[in-house]
Amino acid sequence: MKSSAASMKPSAAPMKPSAAPMTHSVAPMKPTGQSGVSGDTSSKKRNGKAVFCSDVSSDKNDGVVMFRNMTFGPQEGELRFRLIHFWEARNAFTKILIGLEMLLIDEEGTVIQGFIPPSRIDTYLRHMIPDSTYRLNNYFGSKTKKVYRVADPDVTIAFSWNSVLSVLTDSSIRFPEDRFRFHGYEEFEAACDLKGDLFDYIGHIRLVNEQTLTEGLVLDEVEIASMRRILIHVQTYDGPVMKLYLWDKAATDLCEKFKSLGKPPSVILVTTVNPKRFEGALSLSSLSSSRVFFVMDVQATREYLAWFESNSEVANRVNAEIVTKAETATIGELLSYMKQEDANVAWFECTATIDDVVRDSAWYYIACGRCKTKATKGPTTLMCKKCGKTEITGAAEYLTKLSVYDNNDYASFVVLGDAGQELTGKKASGLVESYYEAYEGALDGHVVPVPQALIDIIGQTRTFVIKISKHNLEGKTQSLTVTKVLPLDGSALGCDLAADVVVSPTEVALGSGNGEEGSSIAKRAKCG
């Protein structure tokens, strides 16, 4: 059940950093000057206290607090810093704005997290420019969150009701431009799915959306905009290749860099990535806090590019298709694994022959068109609990039960979401709509019978990516979930990190196909 990949070491890597649990990279120091703060330069007043001053000299160090000396509670000392980056923090489910998070660095090179509550964002945001330098008086030291932390200190600088932010114009004070916290494969593997600290990743690009880096490579910007992401395979020095998903702005940044260079950049650095295990392989995903740098953007990428250009033979030695694949297993091995006391949720590749498609239960369900979670019926519309919306557009998604076998054993596989399209070459929504177009008299709520596209796969031998779920380990269901079906040529590259289908264990087991729950999931989608 073990997949193999050759362990290879570079013959010469003069610029390769030592293998340490965490590596910091500090950009060159940069003198401050007149900051280009835009907007009204007059001080705004609240209770007689200025909240922003645009042109304040700083010729003395009385009361200046370094980030390493920050404490909890209200503070009156002066902070001086460079604003590295800021981003909106929103609730993952309701999308409600929680506040504005910031990454700040002081003259000693200490990086700390900052926070502005929602009610105070408008006061300060229009004066905030990344890479500009500021002074802050009157603030609060709050406890740093444990989930997705982006800096080392346990204290976060929070703007309070009487905080005063001003532009720092003293050109004698020098601040580092940035500071990175790099992790490698082993560290990301150890932190996978823990939702702890977010670290940075640097490496050279091997594949972009499953395509090799050639002069003729073209990125489909329409598809990227629709999917909201780009999948790239990245390798650090001679280490394992990892899947890196760039979402939204990070994906747009890569497209823009591609257009400006006329080809994909060879080196990439992404900050604050989230390590997750998806379909058996360690994957990294960008977040709203992430920034993306390429080739010559910062000192760290320039140093890596120099190593890459002088060690290209070493850097290209690992096969991306090998190191990103899940472990292989027979049906019997999967069933045995589920019974092990120390077994965990895991993904495996299993090759099996399709014996039949179960036809006494629904082969699809109606999902939220945005997140693919099973939609629920409201009084007059479809609703999505995950998105928190009471009016959504539903779309049919595969939830198809197969009987399969290999040389020795039989099993039930449940094909979910995009895996069904990979198996049949057709979208579930298209098959459902085609049925209603052919049978105009069919009523909404009528369960569409198993289509010919699914009947045609009987007898095929395919390789499936199987997820051993928590419900399997707890004995709630013996049906194995298929999250991906590999092409007939065996290529296993690429998967949609955001395409997690959320359905109940009862629905996955499909044990109550003629009951209320089993039939309700397959009713025709209505646009809300």
Side-chain angles (χ1 to χ4, degrees), residues 389-422:
K389 295 185 179 297
T390 58
E391 188 172 345
I392 63 167
T393 299
E397 293 288 344
Y398 283 97
L399 181 62
T400 306
K401 190 173 183 180
L402 308 177
S403 295
V404 301
Y405 64 92
D406 59 11
N407 292 334
N408 302 303
D409 300 280
Y410 273 85
S412 293
F413 284 1
V414 178
V415 180
L416 288 180
D418 292 341
Q421 183 178 348
E422 294 163 350

Side-chain angles (χ1 to χ4, degrees), residues 349-354 402 404-405 413 419-425 457 459-465 484-490:
E349 284 187 10
C350 180
T351 299
T353 301
I354 300 169
L402 308 177
V404 301
Y405 64 92
F413 284 1
Q421 183 178 348
E422 294 163 350
L423 189 59
T424 65
I457 67 174
Q460 290 186 13
T461 299
R462 301 295 294 267
T463 298
F464 304 87
V465 175
K484 187 175 183 65
V485 181
L486 304 191
L488 290 173
D489 62 5

Side-chain angles (χ1 to χ4, degrees), residues 34-56:
Q34 189 73 22
S35 178
V37 176
S38 61
D40 184 6
T41 59
S42 61
S43 298
K44 297 182 70 175
K45 301 282 186 178
R46 190 196 296 118
N47 296 333
K49 188 71 175 179
V51 295
F52 180 80
C53 304
S54 65
D55 190 8
V56 177

Side-chain angles (χ1 to χ4, degrees), residues 119-282:
S119 61
R120 303 186 183 110
I121 291 177
D122 289 343
T123 301
Y124 299 101
L125 180 58
R126 67 192 184 97
H127 302 292
M128 295 168 54
I129 301 175
D131 200 38
S132 296
T133 55
Y134 298 93
R135 304 164 65 225
L136 181 66
N137 296 89
N138 302 323
Y139 47 90
F140 190 89
S142 63
K143 185 69 174 178
T144 299
K145 62 181 182 179
K146 296 296 184 183
V147 177
Y148 297 147
R149 193 171 68 165
V150 298
D152 293 332
D154 291 328
V155 61
T156 291
I157 298 170
F159 283 39
S160 55
W161 68 271
N162 60 343
S163 294
V164 180
L165 181 69
S166 50
V167 177
L168 179 61
T169 60
D170 188 346
S171 61
S172 66
I173 304 176
R174 301 173 66 87
F175 294 86
E177 292 182 2
D178 213 329
R179 187 175 182 88
F180 301 109
R181 307 191 304 165
F182 290 121
H183 262 192
Y185 179 86
E186 291 78 10
E187 292 79 31
F188 281 124
E189 177 73 35
C192 186
D193 292 318
L194 297 182
K195 298 182 180 179
D197 280 25
L198 301 175
F199 291 91
D200 311 324
Y201 182 58
I202 190 172
H204 55 279
I205 299 175
R206 301 297 303 274
L207 300 171
V208 179
N209 279 350
E210 306 179 29
Q211 303 176 77
T212 57
L213 273 64
T214 62
E215 294 296 331
L217 175 62
V218 176
L219 295 182
D220 188 339
E221 294 189 54
V222 174
E223 178 185 359
I224 292 170
S226 174
M227 297 292 291
R228 297 176 35 243
R229 58 89 167 157
I230 294 177
L231 167 62
I232 59 178
H233 286 68
V234 184
Q235 180 181 6
T236 300
Y237 299 106
D238 63 332
V241 176
M242 287 194 285
K243 294 178 180 179
L244 173 61
Y245 290 85
L246 300 182
W247 294 91
D248 299 322
K249 185 178 184 302
T252 302
D253 289 345
L254 180 60
C255 288
E256 293 299 322
K257 196 67 176 183
F258 175 90
K259 288 191 291 186
S260 66
L261 294 176
K263 60 180 180 180
S266 56
V267 174
I268 188 171
L269 188 165
V270 184
T271 67
T272 62
V273 293
N274 183 27
K276 294 176 66 66
R277 187 167 301 284
F278 187 72
E279 296 186 347
L282 175 63

Side-chain angles (χ1 to χ4, degrees), residues 13-148:
M15 302 188 68
K16 183 175 179 179
S18 59
M22 182 174 70
T23 303
H24 288 79
S25 177
V26 183
M29 303 288 280
K30 188 173 182 180
T32 65
Q34 189 73 22
S35 178
V37 176
S38 61
D40 184 6
T41 59
S42 61
S43 298
K44 297 182 70 175
K45 301 282 186 178
R46 190 196 296 118
N47 296 333
K49 188 71 175 179
V51 295
F52 180 80
C53 304
S54 65
D55 190 8
V56 177
S57 62
S58 180
D59 53 3
K60 59 181 181 179
N61 294 322
D62 295 345
V64 174
V65 178
M66 295 299 166
F67 288 169
R68 59 182 168 82
N69 295 324
M70 273 288 299
T71 57
F72 297 111
Q75 311 287 323
E76 295 182 354
E78 178 176 296
L79 298 176
R80 299 174 180 175
F81 56 84
R82 180 185 301 284
L83 174 61
I84 296 177
H85 182 47
F86 61 84
W87 62 96
E88 289 184 344
R90 293 184 177 272
N91 182 284
F93 298 103
T94 65
K95 307 304 179 185
I96 294 175
L97 180 65
I98 298 173
L100 195 72
E101 294 189 295
M102 302 171 288
L103 202 59
L104 317 172
I105 188 168
D106 68 7
E107 53 197 284
E108 292 184 338
T110 302
V111 174
I112 201 168
Q113 192 163 344
F115 180 78
I116 301 178
S119 61
R120 303 186 183 110
I121 291 177
D122 289 343
T123 301
Y124 299 101
L125 180 58
R126 67 192 184 97
H127 302 292
M128 295 168 54
I129 301 175
D131 200 38
S132 296
T133 55
Y134 298 93
R135 304 164 65 225
L136 181 66
N137 296 89
N138 302 323
Y139 47 90
F140 190 89
S142 63
K143 185 69 174 178
T144 299
K145 62 181 182 179
K146 296 296 184 183
V147 177
Y148 297 147

